[in-house]
Amino acid sequence: MIQQKNNRQTLISLALVALMLAVVLVLDQVIQPTDYMSMLLKVLQKASVYALAAVSLNLLTGFTGLFSLGHAGFMLIGTYIYAIFTISSDSRDAVYQYYDAAVRFSIPEALSGALGPFGTVLGVIVAVLLAGLGAALVAWLIGLPVLRLKSDYLAIATLGFAEVIRAVFQWGKLGPVTNGSNPLKSFIRIADFKIQAGGVTISLSTFIPVLMSTVCIGIIVLLINSSYGRAFKAIRENEIAAEAMGINLARHKMLSFCISSFFAGVAGAGMAMVLGIAQANNFKSAMTYEILLMVVLGGIGSISGSVIGATLFIAASEWWLRGLDNGAFLGIEAPGIFRNGFRLVVFSVIIMVVVLFFRKGIMGDKELPDLFKRRKKAKGVAK
């Protein structure tokens, strides 16, 4: 009976995810770039990337109990790896105008020559995976000395790593690879994801980042519900008790750190696709704080909460409160009050209110299916 209920919940969850993806695909075709609602597509694109970054950080902080502030650094690595290996050959000299580019090929172009359009898609997937693997490899190297630290010391060490890696990527000596302090451009972006069918152009600019984040978050959910996930939670609750139960602390901490960094690298690749530019200055420590804030707002230890927190954060900061900087908000025109910078003041107040009234975040440590279980129990008690 319990197995049947679990199978039913899994099927319902998969059906809801498929419905969400179908709605996103329809919105991609219906909403035009000149429409006011085009901001909805931009929010979905950016929120999907940040949702993946928040969930990957939550895997480390919320489920394993390791407090890291180096997420922006791993996203930076993923962004650069993706951009470097997808810049078109014709544009490479123009992009590296001050340097002699060390990488002279594009993975999508190389595979498209052999496999056609499918090769281009496969090349993008390979570049994204390389972005994640590159971030995971650096995380393994950093984790060897850093994961021996605990609590605030670990946070400070990883924060220092993020700042160092940002400076290294802007170092002139690495210019032939990273283009120094100059941005990387002319790589495959979300605007390039289109399908020509019978004279009709099907846009996938929002569908692709949402699909990528959905698949990655689904993998993280499967990991958390596996034996490894249970070991991570045991380490979070009590390291001494977990070790007494036979859990290898060093191995599982490193595993969680590398997996979290892998998906941060994938999120970095998604960020490059959405922004259409790769530059180290975009990955300052403030980005890590924003991602951590999304996790806290949604609920530490809740995958659903991280997705909701990321979506609300991006929607409020990028769309809903924009009028506070432009002189008019909700039909009220007050240029003396609603001016540049006021949006951040109101947004900060909203965050303070949410934190005060939702001490454990919007979802706490619960997931969306848990809310439906509560309702069913409440109905059963009422009867």
PDB file of all heavy atoms in Angstrom, residues 17 20-21 44-56 128 206-221 263 266-271 273-274 303 307:
ATOM      1  N   VAL A  17       5.520  18.272 -13.549  1.00  0.00           N
ATOM      2  CA  VAL A  17       6.743  18.797 -14.173  1.00  0.00           C
ATOM      3  C   VAL A  17       6.571  18.875 -15.687  1.00  0.00           C
ATOM      4  O   VAL A  17       6.949  19.872 -16.325  1.00  0.00           O
ATOM      5  CB  VAL A  17       7.953  17.919 -13.807  1.00  0.00           C
ATOM      6  CG1 VAL A  17       9.167  18.294 -14.650  1.00  0.00           C
ATOM      7  CG2 VAL A  17       8.288  18.063 -12.331  1.00  0.00           C
ATOM      8  N   MET A  20       4.376  21.755 -16.511  1.00  0.00           N
ATOM      9  CA  MET A  20       5.106  23.023 -16.368  1.00  0.00           C
ATOM     10  C   MET A  20       5.977  23.281 -17.591  1.00  0.00           C
ATOM     11  O   MET A  20       5.999  24.401 -18.136  1.00  0.00           O
ATOM     12  CB  MET A  20       5.963  22.982 -15.106  1.00  0.00           C
ATOM     13  CG  MET A  20       6.814  24.221 -14.897  1.00  0.00           C
ATOM     14  SD  MET A  20       8.179  23.968 -13.732  1.00  0.00           S
ATOM     15  CE  MET A  20       9.254  22.884 -14.693  1.00  0.00           C
ATOM     16  N   LEU A  21       6.692  22.253 -18.047  1.00  0.00           N
ATOM     17  CA  LEU A  21       7.554  22.408 -19.219  1.00  0.00           C
ATOM     18  C   LEU A  21       6.734  22.721 -20.465  1.00  0.00           C
ATOM     19  O   LEU A  21       7.149  23.529 -21.313  1.00  0.00           O
ATOM     20  CB  LEU A  21       8.380  21.133 -19.434  1.00  0.00           C
ATOM     21  CG  LEU A  21       9.439  20.835 -18.371  1.00  0.00           C
ATOM     22  CD1 LEU A  21      10.074  19.464 -18.620  1.00  0.00           C
ATOM     23  CD2 LEU A  21      10.517  21.914 -18.367  1.00  0.00           C
ATOM     24  N   LEU A  44      11.833  33.895 -15.890  1.00  0.00           N
ATOM     25  CA  LEU A  44      11.899  32.431 -15.887  1.00  0.00           C
ATOM     26  C   LEU A  44      13.291  31.941 -16.272  1.00  0.00           C
ATOM     27  O   LEU A  44      13.802  30.980 -15.693  1.00  0.00           O
ATOM     28  CB  LEU A  44      10.856  31.858 -16.856  1.00  0.00           C
ATOM     29  CG  LEU A  44       9.395  31.968 -16.419  1.00  0.00           C
ATOM     30  CD1 LEU A  44       8.480  31.480 -17.533  1.00  0.00           C
ATOM     31  CD2 LEU A  44       9.147  31.174 -15.147  1.00  0.00           C
ATOM     32  N   GLN A  45      13.907  32.602 -17.237  1.00  0.00           N
ATOM     33  CA  GLN A  45      15.249  32.211 -17.678  1.00  0.00           C
ATOM     34  C   GLN A  45      16.260  32.374 -16.550  1.00  0.00           C
ATOM     35  O   GLN A  45      17.026  31.456 -16.241  1.00  0.00           O
ATOM     36  CB  GLN A  45      15.665  33.053 -18.885  1.00  0.00           C
ATOM     37  CG  GLN A  45      14.846  32.789 -20.135  1.00  0.00           C
ATOM     38  CD  GLN A  45      14.987  33.884 -21.168  1.00  0.00           C
ATOM     39  OE1 GLN A  45      15.765  34.828 -21.007  1.00  0.00           O
ATOM     40  NE2 GLN A  45      14.239  33.786 -22.250  1.00  0.00           N
ATOM     41  N   LYS A  46      16.249  33.551 -15.949  1.00  0.00           N
ATOM     42  CA  LYS A  46      17.228  33.832 -14.898  1.00  0.00           C
ATOM     43  C   LYS A  46      16.907  33.066 -13.625  1.00  0.00           C
ATOM     44  O   LYS A  46      17.817  32.560 -12.934  1.00  0.00           O
ATOM     45  CB  LYS A  46      17.262  35.332 -14.620  1.00  0.00           C
ATOM     46  CG  LYS A  46      18.542  35.810 -13.962  1.00  0.00           C
ATOM     47  CD  LYS A  46      18.627  37.317 -13.956  1.00  0.00           C
ATOM     48  CE  LYS A  46      19.935  37.796 -13.329  1.00  0.00           C
ATOM     49  NZ  LYS A  46      20.035  39.277 -13.319  1.00  0.00           N
ATOM     50  N   ALA A  47      15.619  32.945 -13.293  1.00  0.00           N
ATOM     51  CA  ALA A  47      15.223  32.243 -12.071  1.00  0.00           C
ATOM     52  C   ALA A  47      15.567  30.760 -12.147  1.00  0.00           C
ATOM     53  O   ALA A  47      15.935  30.156 -11.131  1.00  0.00           O
ATOM     54  CB  ALA A  47      13.731  32.425 -11.824  1.00  0.00           C
ATOM     55  N   SER A  48      15.462  30.169 -13.332  1.00  0.00           N
ATOM     56  CA  SER A  48      15.787  28.744 -13.464  1.00  0.00           C
ATOM     57  C   SER A  48      17.267  28.494 -13.171  1.00  0.00           C
ATOM     58  O   SER A  48      17.623  27.505 -12.533  1.00  0.00           O
ATOM     59  CB  SER A  48      15.429  28.251 -14.870  1.00  0.00           C
ATOM     60  OG  SER A  48      16.192  28.937 -15.856  1.00  0.00           O
ATOM     61  N   VAL A  49      18.124  29.411 -13.632  1.00  0.00           N
ATOM     62  CA  VAL A  49      19.557  29.278 -13.368  1.00  0.00           C
ATOM     63  C   VAL A  49      19.849  29.449 -11.884  1.00  0.00           C
ATOM     64  O   VAL A  49      20.581  28.655 -11.278  1.00  0.00           O
ATOM     65  CB  VAL A  49      20.352  30.306 -14.196  1.00  0.00           C
ATOM     66  CG1 VAL A  49      21.830  30.269 -13.813  1.00  0.00           C
ATOM     67  CG2 VAL A  49      20.183  30.037 -15.678  1.00  0.00           C
ATOM     68  N   TYR A  50      19.273  30.479 -11.286  1.00  0.00           N
ATOM     69  CA  TYR A  50      19.500  30.728  -9.863  1.00  0.00           C
ATOM     70  C   TYR A  50      18.873  29.636  -9.002  1.00  0.00           C
ATOM     71  O   TYR A  50      19.381  29.331  -7.913  1.00  0.00           O
ATOM     72  CB  TYR A  50      18.947  32.090  -9.466  1.00  0.00           C
ATOM     73  CG  TYR A  50      19.935  33.214  -9.652  1.00  0.00           C
ATOM     74  CD1 TYR A  50      19.861  34.047 -10.764  1.00  0.00           C
ATOM     75  CD2 TYR A  50      20.945  33.455  -8.730  1.00  0.00           C
ATOM     76  CE1 TYR A  50      20.773  35.085 -10.944  1.00  0.00           C
ATOM     77  CE2 TYR A  50      21.857  34.477  -8.895  1.00  0.00           C
ATOM     78  CZ  TYR A  50      21.764  35.288 -10.008  1.00  0.00           C
ATOM     79  OH  TYR A  50      22.671  36.305 -10.182  1.00  0.00           O
ATOM     80  N   ALA A  51      17.769  29.050  -9.463  1.00  0.00           N
ATOM     81  CA  ALA A  51      17.142  27.962  -8.705  1.00  0.00           C
ATOM     82  C   ALA A  51      18.089  26.766  -8.626  1.00  0.00           C
ATOM     83  O   ALA A  51      18.241  26.144  -7.566  1.00  0.00           O
ATOM     84  CB  ALA A  51      15.829  27.555  -9.362  1.00  0.00           C
ATOM     85  N   LEU A  52      18.743  26.447  -9.748  1.00  0.00           N
ATOM     86  CA  LEU A  52      19.709  25.351  -9.743  1.00  0.00           C
ATOM     87  C   LEU A  52      20.888  25.669  -8.826  1.00  0.00           C
ATOM     88  O   LEU A  52      21.340  24.809  -8.058  1.00  0.00           O
ATOM     89  CB  LEU A  52      20.204  25.088 -11.165  1.00  0.00           C
ATOM     90  CG  LEU A  52      21.307  24.034 -11.319  1.00  0.00           C
ATOM     91  CD1 LEU A  52      20.879  22.696 -10.718  1.00  0.00           C
ATOM     92  CD2 LEU A  52      21.694  23.869 -12.779  1.00  0.00           C
ATOM     93  N   ALA A  53      21.371  26.913  -8.881  1.00  0.00           N
ATOM     94  CA  ALA A  53      22.475  27.310  -8.004  1.00  0.00           C
ATOM     95  C   ALA A  53      22.064  27.222  -6.535  1.00  0.00           C
ATOM     96  O   ALA A  53      22.832  26.751  -5.684  1.00  0.00           O
ATOM     97  CB  ALA A  53      22.921  28.728  -8.346  1.00  0.00           C
ATOM     98  N   ALA A  54      20.833  27.650  -6.222  1.00  0.00           N
ATOM     99  CA  ALA A  54      20.349  27.624  -4.838  1.00  0.00           C
ATOM    100  C   ALA A  54      20.177  26.187  -4.346  1.00  0.00           C
ATOM    101  O   ALA A  54      20.536  25.857  -3.209  1.00  0.00           O
ATOM    102  CB  ALA A  54      19.027  28.385  -4.732  1.00  0.00           C
ATOM    103  N   VAL A  55      19.639  25.321  -5.193  1.00  0.00           N
ATOM    104  CA  VAL A  55      19.445  23.920  -4.807  1.00  0.00           C
ATOM    105  C   VAL A  55      20.795  23.239  -4.582  1.00  0.00           C
ATOM    106  O   VAL A  55      20.968  22.456  -3.632  1.00  0.00           O
ATOM    107  CB  VAL A  55      18.627  23.165  -5.877  1.00  0.00           C
ATOM    108  CG1 VAL A  55      18.626  21.666  -5.592  1.00  0.00           C
ATOM    109  CG2 VAL A  55      17.196  23.684  -5.911  1.00  0.00           C
ATOM    110  N   SER A  56      21.778  23.542  -5.447  1.00  0.00           N
ATOM    111  CA  SER A  56      23.109  22.941  -5.276  1.00  0.00           C
ATOM    112  C   SER A  56      23.765  23.423  -3.987  1.00  0.00           C
ATOM    113  O   SER A  56      24.440  22.643  -3.303  1.00  0.00           O
ATOM    114  CB  SER A  56      23.995  23.268  -6.480  1.00  0.00           C
ATOM    115  OG  SER A  56      24.230  24.656  -6.598  1.00  0.00           O
ATOM    116  N   VAL A 128      28.486  21.896 -21.429  1.00  0.00           N
ATOM    117  CA  VAL A 128      27.859  22.085 -20.116  1.00  0.00           C
ATOM    118  C   VAL A 128      28.407  21.073 -19.112  1.00  0.00           C
ATOM    119  O   VAL A 128      28.703  21.416 -17.961  1.00  0.00           O
ATOM    120  CB  VAL A 128      26.326  21.974 -20.227  1.00  0.00           C
ATOM    121  CG1 VAL A 128      25.683  21.940 -18.842  1.00  0.00           C
ATOM    122  CG2 VAL A 128      25.755  23.135 -21.026  1.00  0.00           C
ATOM    123  N   THR A 206      13.526  30.021 -23.565  1.00  0.00           N
ATOM    124  CA  THR A 206      13.163  29.866 -22.150  1.00  0.00           C
ATOM    125  C   THR A 206      13.047  28.396 -21.777  1.00  0.00           C
ATOM    126  O   THR A 206      13.396  28.005 -20.656  1.00  0.00           O
ATOM    127  CB  THR A 206      11.827  30.578 -21.853  1.00  0.00           C
ATOM    128  OG1 THR A 206      11.909  31.933 -22.277  1.00  0.00           O
ATOM    129  CG2 THR A 206      11.509  30.549 -20.364  1.00  0.00           C
ATOM    130  N   PHE A 207      12.606  27.586 -22.715  1.00  0.00           N
ATOM    131  CA  PHE A 207      12.396  26.167 -22.453  1.00  0.00           C
ATOM    132  C   PHE A 207      13.705  25.459 -22.095  1.00  0.00           C
ATOM    133  O   PHE A 207      13.743  24.638 -21.171  1.00  0.00           O
ATOM    134  CB  PHE A 207      11.752  25.506 -23.679  1.00  0.00           C
ATOM    135  CG  PHE A 207      11.536  24.031 -23.539  1.00  0.00           C
ATOM    136  CD1 PHE A 207      10.475  23.539 -22.790  1.00  0.00           C
ATOM    137  CD2 PHE A 207      12.392  23.120 -24.161  1.00  0.00           C
ATOM    138  CE1 PHE A 207      10.269  22.164 -22.660  1.00  0.00           C
ATOM    139  CE2 PHE A 207      12.193  21.761 -24.033  1.00  0.00           C
ATOM    140  CZ  PHE A 207      11.133  21.287 -23.283  1.00  0.00           C
ATOM    141  N   ILE A 208      14.797  25.783 -22.806  1.00  0.00           N
ATOM    142  CA  ILE A 208      16.070  25.085 -22.600  1.00  0.00           C
ATOM    143  C   ILE A 208      16.629  25.308 -21.192  1.00  0.00           C
ATOM    144  O   ILE A 208      16.960  24.346 -20.490  1.00  0.00           O
ATOM    145  CB  ILE A 208      17.094  25.485 -23.677  1.00  0.00           C
ATOM    146  CG1 ILE A 208      16.683  24.937 -25.037  1.00  0.00           C
ATOM    147  CG2 ILE A 208      18.490  24.988 -23.312  1.00  0.00           C
ATOM    148  CD1 ILE A 208      16.587  23.427 -25.112  1.00  0.00           C
ATOM    149  N   PRO A 209      16.777  26.574 -20.707  1.00  0.00           N
ATOM    150  CA  PRO A 209      17.299  26.731 -19.334  1.00  0.00           C
ATOM    151  C   PRO A 209      16.388  26.132 -18.273  1.00  0.00           C
ATOM    152  O   PRO A 209      16.876  25.588 -17.280  1.00  0.00           O
ATOM    153  CB  PRO A 209      17.428  28.256 -19.180  1.00  0.00           C
ATOM    154  CG  PRO A 209      16.600  28.852 -20.250  1.00  0.00           C
ATOM    155  CD  PRO A 209      16.595  27.884 -21.372  1.00  0.00           C
ATOM    156  N   VAL A 210      15.064  26.221 -18.479  1.00  0.00           N
ATOM    157  CA  VAL A 210      14.139  25.614 -17.515  1.00  0.00           C
ATOM    158  C   VAL A 210      14.278  24.096 -17.527  1.00  0.00           C
ATOM    159  O   VAL A 210      14.303  23.447 -16.474  1.00  0.00           O
ATOM    160  CB  VAL A 210      12.680  26.036 -17.818  1.00  0.00           C
ATOM    161  CG1 VAL A 210      11.704  25.262 -16.938  1.00  0.00           C
ATOM    162  CG2 VAL A 210      12.499  27.534 -17.601  1.00  0.00           C
ATOM    163  N   LEU A 211      14.385  23.507 -18.728  1.00  0.00           N
ATOM    164  CA  LEU A 211      14.553  22.058 -18.839  1.00  0.00           C
ATOM    165  C   LEU A 211      15.868  21.610 -18.200  1.00  0.00           C
ATOM    166  O   LEU A 211      15.906  20.618 -17.459  1.00  0.00           O
ATOM    167  CB  LEU A 211      14.525  21.649 -20.312  1.00  0.00           C
ATOM    168  CG  LEU A 211      14.808  20.169 -20.612  1.00  0.00           C
ATOM    169  CD1 LEU A 211      13.732  19.280 -19.995  1.00  0.00           C
ATOM    170  CD2 LEU A 211      14.906  19.929 -22.119  1.00  0.00           C
ATOM    171  N   MET A 212      16.950  22.348 -18.472  1.00  0.00           N
ATOM    172  CA  MET A 212      18.254  21.991 -17.914  1.00  0.00           C
ATOM    173  C   MET A 212      18.224  22.019 -16.391  1.00  0.00           C
ATOM    174  O   MET A 212      18.703  21.088 -15.725  1.00  0.00           O
ATOM    175  CB  MET A 212      19.315  22.960 -18.438  1.00  0.00           C
ATOM    176  CG  MET A 212      20.730  22.640 -17.988  1.00  0.00           C
ATOM    177  SD  MET A 212      21.966  23.760 -18.693  1.00  0.00           S
ATOM    178  CE  MET A 212      21.585  25.264 -17.772  1.00  0.00           C
ATOM    179  N   SER A 213      17.637  23.062 -15.830  1.00  0.00           N
ATOM    180  CA  SER A 213      17.561  23.165 -14.370  1.00  0.00           C
ATOM    181  C   SER A 213      16.658  22.090 -13.786  1.00  0.00           C
ATOM    182  O   SER A 213      16.959  21.525 -12.730  1.00  0.00           O
ATOM    183  CB  SER A 213      17.054  24.557 -13.975  1.00  0.00           C
ATOM    184  OG  SER A 213      17.967  25.553 -14.376  1.00  0.00           O
ATOM    185  N   THR A 214      15.557  21.801 -14.474  1.00  0.00           N
ATOM    186  CA  THR A 214      14.627  20.778 -13.985  1.00  0.00           C
ATOM    187  C   THR A 214      15.294  19.411 -13.926  1.00  0.00           C
ATOM    188  O   THR A 214      15.151  18.673 -12.938  1.00  0.00           O
ATOM    189  CB  THR A 214      13.385  20.714 -14.893  1.00  0.00           C
ATOM    190  OG1 THR A 214      12.736  21.992 -14.918  1.00  0.00           O
ATOM    191  CG2 THR A 214      12.403  19.667 -14.390  1.00  0.00           C
ATOM    192  N   VAL A 215      16.027  19.055 -14.974  1.00  0.00           N
ATOM    193  CA  VAL A 215      16.713  17.758 -15.007  1.00  0.00           C
ATOM    194  C   VAL A 215      17.757  17.681 -13.890  1.00  0.00           C
ATOM    195  O   VAL A 215      17.847  16.673 -13.164  1.00  0.00           O
ATOM    196  CB  VAL A 215      17.377  17.533 -16.381  1.00  0.00           C
ATOM    197  CG1 VAL A 215      18.267  16.301 -16.351  1.00  0.00           C
ATOM    198  CG2 VAL A 215      16.320  17.385 -17.464  1.00  0.00           C
ATOM    199  N   CYS A 216      18.544  18.744 -13.731  1.00  0.00           N
ATOM    200  CA  CYS A 216      19.595  18.750 -12.704  1.00  0.00           C
ATOM    201  C   CYS A 216      19.000  18.687 -11.296  1.00  0.00           C
ATOM    202  O   CYS A 216      19.505  17.946 -10.435  1.00  0.00           O
ATOM    203  CB  CYS A 216      20.469  19.993 -12.858  1.00  0.00           C
ATOM    204  SG  CYS A 216      21.488  20.000 -14.351  1.00  0.00           S
ATOM    205  N   ILE A 217      17.945  19.449 -11.064  1.00  0.00           N
ATOM    206  CA  ILE A 217      17.304  19.426  -9.748  1.00  0.00           C
ATOM    207  C   ILE A 217      16.688  18.053  -9.480  1.00  0.00           C
ATOM    208  O   ILE A 217      16.731  17.545  -8.352  1.00  0.00           O
ATOM    209  CB  ILE A 217      16.237  20.537  -9.648  1.00  0.00           C
ATOM    210  CG1 ILE A 217      16.915  21.910  -9.641  1.00  0.00           C
ATOM    211  CG2 ILE A 217      15.383  20.366  -8.393  1.00  0.00           C
ATOM    212  CD1 ILE A 217      15.943  23.076  -9.730  1.00  0.00           C
ATOM    213  N   GLY A 218      16.129  17.426 -10.533  1.00  0.00           N
ATOM    214  CA  GLY A 218      15.596  16.074 -10.380  1.00  0.00           C
ATOM    215  C   GLY A 218      16.678  15.081  -9.968  1.00  0.00           C
ATOM    216  O   GLY A 218      16.456  14.211  -9.118  1.00  0.00           O
ATOM    217  N   ILE A 219      17.880  15.216 -10.544  1.00  0.00           N
ATOM    218  CA  ILE A 219      19.002  14.344 -10.168  1.00  0.00           C
ATOM    219  C   ILE A 219      19.389  14.575  -8.711  1.00  0.00           C
ATOM    220  O   ILE A 219      19.669  13.619  -7.966  1.00  0.00           O
ATOM    221  CB  ILE A 219      20.206  14.602 -11.098  1.00  0.00           C
ATOM    222  CG1 ILE A 219      19.861  14.168 -12.526  1.00  0.00           C
ATOM    223  CG2 ILE A 219      21.439  13.857 -10.597  1.00  0.00           C
ATOM    224  CD1 ILE A 219      20.917  14.539 -13.544  1.00  0.00           C
ATOM    225  N   ILE A 220      19.388  15.832  -8.278  1.00  0.00           N
ATOM    226  CA  ILE A 220      19.723  16.143  -6.885  1.00  0.00           C
ATOM    227  C   ILE A 220      18.680  15.541  -5.941  1.00  0.00           C
ATOM    228  O   ILE A 220      19.027  15.015  -4.870  1.00  0.00           O
ATOM    229  CB  ILE A 220      19.822  17.669  -6.686  1.00  0.00           C
ATOM    230  CG1 ILE A 220      21.021  18.226  -7.478  1.00  0.00           C
ATOM    231  CG2 ILE A 220      19.969  18.013  -5.209  1.00  0.00           C
ATOM    232  CD1 ILE A 220      21.128  19.737  -7.449  1.00  0.00           C
ATOM    233  N   VAL A 221      17.408  15.600  -6.335  1.00  0.00           N
ATOM    234  CA  VAL A 221      16.345  15.008  -5.510  1.00  0.00           C
ATOM    235  C   VAL A 221      16.565  13.500  -5.371  1.00  0.00           C
ATOM    236  O   VAL A 221      16.434  12.932  -4.271  1.00  0.00           O
ATOM    237  CB  VAL A 221      14.956  15.299  -6.128  1.00  0.00           C
ATOM    238  CG1 VAL A 221      13.874  14.485  -5.420  1.00  0.00           C
ATOM    239  CG2 VAL A 221      14.637  16.782  -6.033  1.00  0.00           C
ATOM    240  N   PHE A 263      27.108  21.001  -9.944  1.00  0.00           N
ATOM    241  CA  PHE A 263      25.862  21.642 -10.375  1.00  0.00           C
ATOM    242  C   PHE A 263      25.974  23.167 -10.349  1.00  0.00           C
ATOM    243  O   PHE A 263      25.279  23.849 -11.112  1.00  0.00           O
ATOM    244  CB  PHE A 263      24.697  21.163  -9.518  1.00  0.00           C
ATOM    245  CG  PHE A 263      24.285  19.747  -9.827  1.00  0.00           C
ATOM    246  CD1 PHE A 263      24.541  18.724  -8.927  1.00  0.00           C
ATOM    247  CD2 PHE A 263      23.664  19.438 -11.018  1.00  0.00           C
ATOM    248  CE1 PHE A 263      24.180  17.410  -9.218  1.00  0.00           C
ATOM    249  CE2 PHE A 263      23.297  18.137 -11.322  1.00  0.00           C
ATOM    250  CZ  PHE A 263      23.555  17.121 -10.421  1.00  0.00           C
ATOM    251  N   VAL A 266      27.403  23.844 -13.690  1.00  0.00           N
ATOM    252  CA  VAL A 266      26.338  23.754 -14.699  1.00  0.00           C
ATOM    253  C   VAL A 266      25.473  25.018 -14.665  1.00  0.00           C
ATOM    254  O   VAL A 266      25.096  25.550 -15.708  1.00  0.00           O
ATOM    255  CB  VAL A 266      25.478  22.496 -14.460  1.00  0.00           C
ATOM    256  CG1 VAL A 266      24.269  22.489 -15.387  1.00  0.00           C
ATOM    257  CG2 VAL A 266      26.314  21.237 -14.673  1.00  0.00           C
ATOM    258  N   ALA A 267      25.174  25.496 -13.448  1.00  0.00           N
ATOM    259  CA  ALA A 267      24.417  26.748 -13.324  1.00  0.00           C
ATOM    260  C   ALA A 267      25.197  27.916 -13.922  1.00  0.00           C
ATOM    261  O   ALA A 267      24.623  28.823 -14.527  1.00  0.00           O
ATOM    262  CB  ALA A 267      24.091  27.025 -11.853  1.00  0.00           C
ATOM    263  N   GLY A 268      26.531  27.890 -13.762  1.00  0.00           N
ATOM    264  CA  GLY A 268      27.358  28.919 -14.371  1.00  0.00           C
ATOM    265  C   GLY A 268      27.268  28.887 -15.885  1.00  0.00           C
ATOM    266  O   GLY A 268      27.209  29.939 -16.540  1.00  0.00           O
ATOM    267  N   ALA A 269      27.250  27.686 -16.468  1.00  0.00           N
ATOM    268  CA  ALA A 269      27.064  27.557 -17.918  1.00  0.00           C
ATOM    269  C   ALA A 269      25.706  28.113 -18.335  1.00  0.00           C
ATOM    270  O   ALA A 269      25.587  28.806 -19.361  1.00  0.00           O
ATOM    271  CB  ALA A 269      27.196  26.091 -18.335  1.00  0.00           C
ATOM    272  N   GLY A 270      24.681  27.819 -17.534  1.00  0.00           N
ATOM    273  CA  GLY A 270      23.359  28.374 -17.809  1.00  0.00           C
ATOM    274  C   GLY A 270      23.347  29.892 -17.706  1.00  0.00           C
ATOM    275  O   GLY A 270      22.680  30.578 -18.502  1.00  0.00           O
ATOM    276  N   MET A 271      24.097  30.428 -16.751  1.00  0.00           N
ATOM    277  CA  MET A 271      24.199  31.876 -16.605  1.00  0.00           C
ATOM    278  C   MET A 271      24.823  32.504 -17.851  1.00  0.00           C
ATOM    279  O   MET A 271      24.392  33.565 -18.314  1.00  0.00           O
ATOM    280  CB  MET A 271      25.028  32.211 -15.374  1.00  0.00           C
ATOM    281  CG  MET A 271      25.138  33.692 -15.065  1.00  0.00           C
ATOM    282  SD  MET A 271      23.574  34.383 -14.451  1.00  0.00           S
ATOM    283  CE  MET A 271      23.573  33.694 -12.795  1.00  0.00           C
ATOM    284  N   MET A 273      24.685  31.290 -20.888  1.00  0.00           N
ATOM    285  CA  MET A 273      23.670  31.230 -21.946  1.00  0.00           C
ATOM    286  C   MET A 273      22.658  32.359 -21.821  1.00  0.00           C
ATOM    287  O   MET A 273      22.259  32.978 -22.807  1.00  0.00           O
ATOM    288  CB  MET A 273      22.927  29.893 -21.876  1.00  0.00           C
ATOM    289  CG  MET A 273      23.745  28.674 -22.198  1.00  0.00           C
ATOM    290  SD  MET A 273      22.681  27.207 -22.118  1.00  0.00           S
ATOM    291  CE  MET A 273      23.905  25.904 -22.087  1.00  0.00           C
ATOM    292  N   VAL A 274      22.235  32.637 -20.595  1.00  0.00           N
ATOM    293  CA  VAL A 274      21.198  33.651 -20.365  1.00  0.00           C
ATOM    294  C   VAL A 274      21.739  35.054 -20.575  1.00  0.00           C
ATOM    295  O   VAL A 274      21.110  35.889 -21.241  1.00  0.00           O
ATOM    296  CB  VAL A 274      20.610  33.498 -18.942  1.00  0.00           C
ATOM    297  CG1 VAL A 274      19.695  34.674 -18.609  1.00  0.00           C
ATOM    298  CG2 VAL A 274      19.847  32.190 -18.821  1.00  0.00           C
ATOM    299  N   ILE A 303      14.212  21.481  -1.037  1.00  0.00           N
ATOM    300  CA  ILE A 303      14.470  21.684  -2.464  1.00  0.00           C
ATOM    301  C   ILE A 303      13.401  22.603  -3.057  1.00  0.00           C
ATOM    302  O   ILE A 303      13.699  23.564  -3.787  1.00  0.00           O
ATOM    303  CB  ILE A 303      14.481  20.342  -3.215  1.00  0.00           C
ATOM    304  CG1 ILE A 303      15.576  19.436  -2.652  1.00  0.00           C
ATOM    305  CG2 ILE A 303      14.669  20.565  -4.709  1.00  0.00           C
ATOM    306  CD1 ILE A 303      16.969  19.969  -2.846  1.00  0.00           C
ATOM    307  N   VAL A 307      13.752  26.544  -4.856  1.00  0.00           N
ATOM    308  CA  VAL A 307      13.193  26.930  -6.158  1.00  0.00           C
ATOM    309  C   VAL A 307      12.239  28.106  -5.994  1.00  0.00           C
ATOM    310  O   VAL A 307      12.290  29.085  -6.751  1.00  0.00           O
ATOM    311  CB  VAL A 307      12.474  25.731  -6.811  1.00  0.00           C
ATOM    312  CG1 VAL A 307      11.791  26.162  -8.107  1.00  0.00           C
ATOM    313  CG2 VAL A 307      13.464  24.609  -7.086  1.00  0.00           C
TER     314      VAL A 307
END
